[in-house]
Amino acid sequence: MWADANGQELANRFKDAPVKKKLTGIQGFDLITEGGLPLNRTTLVVGTAGSAKTVFAVQFLVSGIEQCDEPGVFVTFEERPADICTNFASLGWRIEDWVKEKKWAFVDASPAPEQMTVSGPFDFGGLMAQLERAIRKVGAKRVAIDSLGAAFAQYPQNAIVRHEIFRIANALRELGVTSVMTAERQEEYGEISRHGVEEFVADNVVILRNILEDEKRRRTVEALKFRGTSHHKGEYPFTVSAEEGIVVIPLSAIELKQKSTIIRRPSGNAELDKMCGGGIFRDSIILVTGATGCGKTLMTTEFISGGARAGERCLLLAFEESRDQLFRNASGWGVDFAQFERDGLLKVMCAYPESKGLEDHLIQIKKTIQEFKPERLAVDSLSALERVSTTKGYREFVVALTSFVKHLEVASLFTATTPTLVGGTSVTEAHISTITDSIILLRYVEMLGDMRRGIMVLKMRGSAHDKNIREFTIDGEGMHIGKSFTNITGILAGFPHTVPADEAARIERLFRNGQMDPAEM
Amino acid sequence: MIRKPPASGKRARRGVAPPETPKTPEAPRYLLRLYVAGLTAHSTMALANLKAVCESHLKGRYDLEVCDIYQQPELARREQVVAVPTLIRRLPPPVRRVIGDMSREDRVLIGLDILPEM
C-alpha cells in the first residue's frame, strides 16, 4: 500500500461522503477516486485495445478477495475462464484455487464453439439467471463483466444487447453488488466508447489510456465521471507490474502534509555543513546540479559516507555508473563503500535508465525504500532518467518520488546534470526546484585560462546559509571547499568575468549597511 | 406432449414415427433442446413457433426437450446459455445453436440446416 494512505485511513477519510464507495484495493486508484468505486453501482471501464481493461476487471475481484475477503463473480464475454486463470497465474493470482474455495465464480458467456443463428427477439435471461445464481452461491460483493464490446460482437442485435446490459446493471444494483463493466473505444481521445455504452450503462466512467508519445508508451487512468460524488480530475499514470498488476501513481493526490524537523545531520563535508548553517535537515531534499564532471558524483559519495559514518542506513541509486565504477570512484576519494555494505549501512542499486519504464522504476525504488528503510537516499543522477520518458512523464515521476521520500522523512540528495558546461539550468531543476528544500549549484568557472570549480548554496529552506560562491578542489581525500571567488561576476549566468579590485570595493561601499551612499552616486 | 428431460438423461420423444415417414430413408433424426425462462412471452412464443416448424418440416423425425433455465440451472450453465430462448440442435452433428423466439421460420431452417421442401 501507499505509505501515505492505507485502506483504513482512506475509508475513514471518506466515510461521510453522500455516495458511499467501495475500496478497490488497486494501489493508488483509491486515492484518485477518493475512496474507490461507488458502492452498489456499476462503473464502466473503457479503453482501447491493450489498455489493461481486463487486468483492471480481474484485479478488482482479486483485491476484493485478497484484501477485503469479499468474493466476486466474473462474467466473461471474451476469453474462456480457463484462459483467464492461466493468463493471470503469472501475477500470482490463484483464481483456480479461489473457484474451488467458492470465493470466485465464473459466468462463461464467451462465444460457444458452434454456429449460432438468430431467429427473432431474445433476451439475456440465461445470463441473468446464471449471474444471480453465481452471486448467491459465493456470496459475491463484487462483479466484473468483460467486455461489453465482445457482447455486441457476439450478438449483432445492438438494440437488444443495449437493453439487456441496462437491465443487468439495474439488477446488480438491487443485488447489492459493486460492479465494473469494461468496454472498448477506438481512440484515446474521442468518443467515450463504441456503441455509446456509457449513455445507458453507468453513472460512473473510468478511462484507461495507453498513449504512444515520442515513441514511448504511457499508461494513464482517469476517473471521468462519478455521479453524485467527487474524485480527482485528470489523468494519472499507472503501470502494470509483474507482481502487483495495476499500480496507479497518484501524484497530485498526495497531500502536502509532511512533518518538519529541526534536527540537522552532517552532509558529509564539514565545510559544506558550515555553508548550510550547521548541516542539512534530517528530512530535507537536496538537489545538486552541475555540468558533467564538475563533482556531482563526488558530492553523492560524500553524502553517503557522511551518513554511513554517522550510523545511518544509506541507499544509493545509480543510473549512470556501474557498481564497480562507483566503488572505485569512492575509494579514489578515500571512501570505502564495500565496508559500509558489509556493515549493513549501504545498499547500492544500479540500473540502466532504459531497462524499464519510468513508472516501473518508481515502483522498484519505492519497494526498495520500503524494504531497506534507509535514513538517507542519494540518486545519481536523477536527470539520467529524463531520457526514458516524456517530459510530462518525467515530471510526474520526480513529483511522485520526492513526495514519497519526503513523507518517509528520508534525507535525500538528487543530482541533475545541466546541459551546458557553464551556467544553465536543466529540466530537472525546473521540475523539482520548488519541492526541494535545498539547492546546491556546482559550476565550472573559467578564470584567466583556468577551469576552476565553484559551489554555491542557492537555497536552504528554514535556515540561514552562506550566499557566497566558493571555490572547491578535488583530491584523493574528496572535496575541499575554499574561499569565495572575489573580483569575479557572472558565474551563475555562465559568463564569468573579472571586476577590477577597486570597482569591487566601490560596489561594496555602495551597498554598505544596506544603504546607498549618496556621495558615491 | 412435450416433456421435460428426465434427470436420468433419457430423452423425451415427440410423437410416434408414422408409417409413411421418413420421406427418404437416409433422413436423419433431429434431437433438439430448447432452453426457456419460465413462461415469458419470448419463451412461450418460441415453443409454439418451433413446434410449428418441426411439424411441417421434421414431422416424425425429431425429439424436442424443453429445459427451463430456472429448473435446470446447472445444465444451462454447462451449455453456456446466455440468450433466451436458445435452441440447441444436438443431433445430427455438428451442434448448432439458434436463439430468439423462432418467429423467423427461414432463420430457424437455416439455423437447423433443414432444406425447406420444394
Side-chain angles (χ1 to χ4, degrees):
Chain A
M1 272 322 259
W2 289 75
D4 46 351
N6 60 38
Q8 195 52 49
E9 227 182 277
L10 275 172
N12 287 340
R13 203 185 299 172
F14 301 112
K15 72 173 187 299
D16 294 325
V19 173
K20 296 270 180 285
K21 289 186 186 161
K22 179 173 283 293
L23 292 172
T24 58
I26 296 173
Q27 274 195 47
F29 185 77
D30 291 332
L31 263 177
I32 68 162
T33 52
E34 298 182 3
L37 297 176
L39 185 68
N40 299 348
R41 305 272 175 91
T42 297
T43 301
L44 189 67
V45 177
V46 297
T48 52
S51 61
K53 295 184 296 292
T54 305
V55 183
F56 189 99
V58 171
Q59 195 171 349
F60 174 63
L61 298 195
V62 169
S63 37
I65 291 171
E66 285 188 335
Q67 295 174 29
C68 315
D69 201 20
E70 290 180 353
V73 172
F74 195 92
V75 181
T76 172
F77 276 102
E78 211 160 359
E79 290 176 273
R80 318 195 143 272
D83 293 339
I84 293 174
C85 291
T86 315
N87 294 347
F88 289 98
S90 60
L91 283 163
W93 296 342
R94 311 172 292 111
I95 299 174
E96 268 177 347
D97 295 346
W98 293 326
V99 170
K100 285 181 202 131
E101 293 161 20
K102 296 212 184 335
K103 289 177 179 170
W104 180 298
F106 277 110
V107 172
D108 186 2
S110 62
E114 61 266 12
Q115 184 188 322
M116 190 182 80
T117 316
V118 181
S119 70
F122 60 93
D123 57 54
F124 278 175
L127 179 65
M128 289 279 279
Q130 285 191 51
L131 184 53
E132 277 189 48
R133 185 163 168 261
I135 289 171
R136 298 228 159 83
K137 193 170 124 198
V138 298
K141 293 272 171 257
R142 300 177 182 217
V143 168
I145 300 181
D146 182 58
S147 70
L148 301 188
F152 281 102
Q154 264 190 70
Y155 304 94
Q157 290 65 26
N158 283 1
I160 295 181
V161 176
R162 212 169 266 158
H163 179 258
E164 291 304 301
I165 292 169
F166 178 72
R167 221 157 59 96
I168 290 171
N170 277 340
L172 288 174
R173 180 188 296 217
E174 271 161 35
L175 288 166
V177 295
T178 308
S179 56
V180 298
M181 293 185 181
T182 65
E184 285 69 17
R185 62 202 306 244
Q186 274 147 318
E187 309 159 352
E188 297 298 356
Y189 297 93
E191 58 178 326
I192 295 178
S193 69
R194 272 180 92 165
H195 311 293
V197 183
E198 71 283 357
E199 284 165 27
F200 59 91
V201 165
D203 297 339
N204 316 300
V205 178
V206 170
I207 301 180
L208 302 175
R209 291 193 176 89
N210 186 15
I211 314 151
L212 187 62
E213 225 175 68
D214 297 342
E215 301 182 2
K216 285 155 196 152
R217 282 274 168 204
R218 205 173 104 82
R219 292 183 185 280
T220 65
V221 54
E222 175 185 8
L224 183 69
K225 67 166 184 179
F226 275 11
R227 188 161 290 170
T229 167
S230 64
H231 56 89
H232 283 68
K233 313 289 188 293
E235 293 178 44
Y236 292 85
F238 76 91
T239 180
V240 181
S241 87
E243 289 109 31
E244 293 157 285
I246 292 176
V247 179
V248 180
I249 296 158
L251 303 177
S252 62
I254 301 164
E255 287 173 90
L256 260 178
K257 58 165 193 185
Q258 296 100 356
K259 286 169 255 164
S260 195
T261 177
I262 51 158
I263 300 168
R264 291 190 192 248
R265 304 294 299 165
S267 69
N269 184 303
E271 201 58 39
L272 181 63
D273 286 346
K274 274 189 216 155
M275 288 179 75
C276 294
I280 53 164
F281 289 119
R282 197 186 62 192
D283 60 350
S284 65
I285 293 176
I286 305 159
L287 178 67
V288 177
T289 85
T292 174
C294 74
K296 293 186 303 298
T297 302
L298 170 60
M299 282 270 327
T300 313
T301 308
E302 300 223 314
F303 178 72
I304 293 283
S305 100
R309 279 200 206 108
E312 292 181 8
R313 296 158 70 78
C314 305
L315 176 64
L316 172 58
L317 306 174
F319 294 105
E320 284 181 345
E321 288 172 292
S322 74
R323 195 186 150 81
D324 286 351
Q325 277 174 306
L326 285 166
F327 279 53
R328 190 196 58 203
N329 293 347
S331 62
W333 296 313
V335 176
D336 192 355
F337 271 2
Q339 184 59 44
F340 291 151
E341 233 181 20
R342 280 194 294 275
D343 296 341
L345 292 170
L346 175 65
K347 188 179 173 75
V348 180
M349 207 175 104
C350 299
Y352 269 113
E354 284 83 1
S355 62
K356 45 185 168 256
L358 218 39
E359 289 84 4
D360 295 305
H361 273 301
L362 181 63
I363 287 163
Q364 170 86 53
I365 292 170
K366 286 177 143 184
K367 215 173 156 190
T368 311
I369 291 176
Q370 276 166 344
E371 282 163 12
F372 186 65
K373 296 189 175 40
E375 290 147 279
R376 203 169 265 225
L377 167 74
V379 181
D380 186 35
S381 71
L382 195 60
S383 51
L385 294 168
E386 229 174 271
R387 61 176 187 260
V388 300
S389 175
T390 59
T391 309
K392 199 172 163 204
Y394 179 64
R395 188 172 59 226
E396 289 167 347
F397 166 81
V398 169
V399 171
L401 178 62
T402 45
S403 52
F404 180 71
V405 295
K406 197 97 180 102
H407 184 87
L408 295 180
E409 297 188 25
V410 180
S412 307
L413 181 137
F414 302 144
T415 66
T417 309
T418 48
T420 50
L421 214 51
V422 286
T425 54
S426 69
V427 182
T428 311
E429 287 176 57
H431 287 166
I432 75 169
S433 54
T434 51
I435 304 166
T436 52
D437 300 294
S438 308
I439 298 178
I440 295 174
L441 304 182
L442 303 178
R443 291 285 185 267
Y444 283 117
V445 183
E446 190 193 339
M447 264 176 80
L448 308 170
D450 275 348
M451 204 50 140
R452 308 213 194 160
R453 292 184 171 98
I455 180 170
M456 183 198 184
V457 180
L458 186 66
K459 156 177 157 181
M460 174 94 189
R461 216 170 248 170
S463 169
H465 61 90
D466 192 342
K467 312 283 195 295
N468 288 322
I469 302 177
R470 308 265 297 263
E471 184 173 0
F472 73 92
T473 53
I474 300 172
D475 65 14
E477 284 161 9
M479 175 188 263
H480 301 282
I481 299 174
K483 293 206 180 71
S484 60
F485 287 96
T486 48
N487 303 351
I488 199 158
T489 184
I491 295 172
L492 285 185
F495 301 106
H497 55 275
T498 45
V499 182
D502 53 346
E503 176 66 6
R506 191 183 73 87
I507 293 171
E508 184 67 20
R509 277 201 306 281
L510 263 180
F511 292 100
R512 188 174 298 150
N513 302 327
Q515 287 176 333
M516 290 206 197
D517 185 347
E520 293 278 350
M521 293 188 68
Chain B
M1 273 320 290
I2 292 177
R3 281 177 281 158
K4 304 247 160 75
S8 66
K10 242 201 293 172
R11 285 175 224 127
R13 277 191 153 204
R14 166 68 186 154
V16 186
E20 67 270 43
T21 53
K23 293 174 205 90
T24 46
E26 322 82 63
R29 278 200 81 80
Y30 277 72
L31 175 55
L32 307 174
R33 181 180 281 169
L34 179 68
Y35 284 95
V36 296
L39 295 171
T40 59
H42 285 159
S43 299
T44 46
M45 189 83 143
L47 187 53
N49 288 335
L50 182 63
K51 273 155 79 178
V53 173
C54 289
E55 279 304 305
S56 60
H57 297 277
L58 297 172
K59 195 165 175 60
R61 55 188 184 102
Y62 70 96
D63 297 312
L64 176 62
E65 300 170 359
V66 179
C67 288
D68 187 327
I69 53 166
Y70 294 110
Q71 305 291 320
Q72 286 171 296
E74 193 50 34
L75 202 58
R77 190 187 68 80
R78 276 212 302 274
E79 294 220 70
Q80 290 187 32
V81 177
V82 170
V84 168
T86 289
L87 173 67
I88 295 176
R89 183 187 90 172
R90 307 181 65 207
L91 284 175
V95 176
R96 280 164 169 266
R97 193 176 276 245
V98 182
I99 62 169
D101 68 358
M102 314 289 153
S103 55
R104 296 266 313 264
E105 184 177 348
D106 55 331
R107 304 291 299 167
V108 178
L109 294 177
I110 290 170
L112 293 178
D113 199 19
I114 300 168
L115 289 173
E117 286 162 59
M118 287 301 125

